[in-house]
Amino acid sequence: MQSITLKVEGMSCNHCVNAVEGAVKKLGATGKVDLNAGLVTVEYDESKVTVDAIKAAIEDQGYDVVS
């Protein structure tokens, strides 16, 4: 398993947390949002999902991945 922490802008409430964590989960990864810091830590199997796919799934929810 690999782990990456992404800076995500636009998250402000529990709905945002659920949207981001749910989008990551659909990819077969596990995401944990730190709302106060604006960070999402994702654990994933690099043989099944790419970082680009994770970023795209978060952005599809309406948030901006900045790193």
Side-chain angles (χ1 to χ4, degrees):
M1 292 292 272
Q2 295 291 320
S3 180
I4 187 170
T5 300
L6 303 169
K7 177 78 174 161
V8 179
E9 293 181 343
M11 300 183 299
S12 61
C13 63
N14 282 333
H15 169 75
C16 301
V17 171
N18 292 335
V20 170
E21 290 180 355
V24 170
K25 187 174 183 178
K26 285 182 182 178
L27 297 175
T30 303
K32 180 67 178 161
V33 173
D34 181 339
L35 197 56
N36 292 329
L39 299 174
V40 180
T41 301
V42 182
E43 291 186 6
Y44 64 100
D45 183 341
E46 63 186 337
S47 68
K48 296 180 180 177
V49 66
T50 65
V51 172
D52 287 341
I54 293 167
K55 289 179 180 180
I58 293 170
E59 290 176 344
D60 284 349
Q61 297 301 310
Y63 307 102
D64 295 319
V65 178
V66 293
S67 68

